[in-house]
Amino acid sequence: MPYYFCNTFFKKIIIQIFLIIFLTLPTLATEKVEINRLYQALNLKGLFQELQEEGIIAGTEMLKDGGQSQQSQAWVITLKEIYSAESLEEFFKSELLKLNVVEKMVNAINFYETPLGKKLIKDELITRRALKNESKKIQAKKILNQLKYFKPNRLKLYQKIIEENNYIEDNISSSMNSNLAFYQGYSLSLPSDKQGLLEAEIISKIWKNENETRERMTKWVLGFTAFTFKDLTSEELNLYLEFSESTSGKLLNNSINYILDKAFEDQSYKLGQAFAILSEQGGA
């Protein structure tokens, strides 16, 4: 009799496990399909490759600022590993799957598959690449000044879109969190007798620069927006504002920012670690 109940009990468990797996697999498969749709619609492959290039440039400039004019091959390899586009893709898809929100983003994915959505994604990447050039930065500033004096209503529309997407505050937060992660990685990777900065001191130093960070990010976001939106019609801008105000649009924006912030913090921490090791080796 005990064996009967024991066998029955285990059979029930096996059936329940089978049902959970059977019912979950189609959902996971569907979510992965939608994540791939999103990845393609937003051209995240292109964006992540651009972010990798920007990270490598920033990392090499950091050594120059530290008095090192020559870049070692080992340092460049380290930077490529830290800012790997392939690693960022894997992390992004994995984190988005964990959030379990993709099915609520279908309308947002649909939007970015429209001609307007495709145009926005294309122009944003073009702008990001262009603004690495000083002459394009000057051009963006001129466009912004012209809007202030001659097209204030159009500028207000830009500002509404910026506000709805929380572009300025998210960039400030991301920048400060990344700085904190860098200093933590740097400080904790030094020998114990050289770990002079406590976390409270690091946070204090970062917050002292909050106004400067806010000013810098506000200028960058306004310039980026002015350059990106310069060829959009008023109708297209209003459609984008409407999308930005939608539940699906906000969920997509918040999810992407959450995931990328985590990724940037991890990259910054690893950069701090690598820089500390290089410093100890006499390379910085």
Side-chain angles (χ1 to χ4, degrees):
M1 187 66 70
Y3 291 106
Y4 170 77
F5 285 114
C6 185
N7 289 335
T8 303
F9 174 74
F10 280 113
K11 283 179 182 178
K12 285 182 179 179
I13 290 179
I14 292 170
I15 290 170
Q16 288 172 347
I17 292 172
F18 175 77
L19 285 173
I20 290 170
I21 295 172
F22 181 77
L23 294 171
T24 303
L25 283 176
T27 304
L28 287 173
T30 302
E31 285 189 346
K32 286 181 179 180
V33 168
E34 292 303 317
I35 286 173
N36 287 331
R37 268 187 70 204
L38 175 65
Y39 194 82
Q40 291 178 358
L42 299 182
N43 188 18
L44 291 179
K45 182 176 182 179
L47 174 61
F48 292 170
Q49 288 172 344
E50 176 61 24
L51 290 174
Q52 177 179 328
E53 184 178 326
E54 290 175 11
I56 293 170
I57 291 171
T60 54
E61 288 296 323
M62 187 171 66
L63 279 197
K64 290 180 183 178
D65 292 341
Q68 290 291 318
S69 58
Q70 298 296 322
Q71 304 295 324
S72 72
Q73 187 64 29
W75 179 245
V76 174
I77 290 172
T78 297
L79 292 174
K80 286 181 178 179
E81 290 175 354
I82 291 172
Y83 295 106
S84 166
E86 291 77 15
S87 296
L88 185 53
E89 175 183 349
E90 184 179 343
F91 178 82
F92 179 87
K93 289 181 177 180
S94 174
E95 289 296 311
L96 189 54
L97 196 60
K98 289 178 189 176
L99 291 178
N100 195 30
V101 293
V102 180
E103 63 181 14
K104 299 175 184 176
M105 295 181 183
V106 174
N107 289 338
I109 299 171
N110 291 340
F111 172 81
Y112 281 108
E113 290 178 336
T114 65
L116 174 58
K118 290 177 181 178
K119 185 177 182 181
L120 284 164
I121 295 301
K122 180 182 177 182
D123 288 350
E124 284 179 3
L125 191 55
I126 288 172
T127 298
R128 191 170 191 103
R129 289 168 177 161
L131 292 185
K132 291 188 291 185
N133 184 296
E134 285 301 320
S135 66
K136 296 299 182 181
K137 288 180 182 177
I138 293 170
Q139 184 183 347
K141 188 175 181 180
K142 286 181 179 179
I143 293 171
L144 188 59
N145 284 333
Q146 288 172 350
L147 288 167
K148 287 178 181 177
Y149 293 110
F150 303 112
K151 295 183 179 180
N153 289 333
R154 186 177 175 90
L155 179 58
K156 285 180 182 178
L157 191 51
Y158 287 6
Q159 290 169 330
K160 285 182 181 178
I161 292 171
I162 289 169
E163 185 178 346
E164 285 298 330
N165 287 284
N166 214 31
Y167 286 147
I168 293 174
E169 294 302 324
D170 280 344
N171 273 281
I172 293 169
S173 174
S174 180
S175 176
M176 294 176 71
N177 288 337
S178 292
N179 284 338
L180 174 60
F182 173 83
Y183 284 117
Q184 286 174 328
Y186 178 78
S187 180
L188 294 174
S189 298
L190 292 171
S192 56
D193 61 322
K194 294 184 179 181
Q195 292 180 7
L197 287 177
L198 298 174
E199 184 166 331
E201 293 176 302
I202 296 171
I203 293 172
S204 176
K205 286 178 179 290
I206 291 171
W207 271 105
K208 281 182 181 178
N209 294 324
E210 192 265 346
N211 288 334
E212 186 273 331
T213 301
R214 179 172 294 278
E215 182 179 351
R216 177 167 50 85
M217 285 300 173
T218 299
K219 286 181 179 178
W220 188 88
V221 169
L222 285 171
F224 183 92
T225 305
F227 198 93
T228 302
F229 291 173
K230 65 183 185 299
D231 296 326
L232 295 180
T233 66
S234 294
E235 182 182 359
E236 286 174 327
L237 286 169
N238 278 295
L239 284 172
Y240 185 44
L241 175 59
E242 185 180 328
F243 167 74
S244 299
E245 293 170 336
S246 70
T247 301
S248 183
K250 286 187 178 298
L251 180 61
L252 174 62
N253 187 56
N254 291 339
S255 299
I256 290 174
N257 285 335
Y258 170 76
I259 295 170
L260 291 184
D261 280 355
K262 286 183 69 175
F264 295 157
E265 286 176 38
D266 181 63
Q267 289 173 342
S268 296
Y269 188 90
K270 289 176 180 176
L271 182 65
Q273 285 182 314
F275 193 65
I277 294 169
L278 190 66
S279 298
E280 286 303 298
Q281 294 172 347

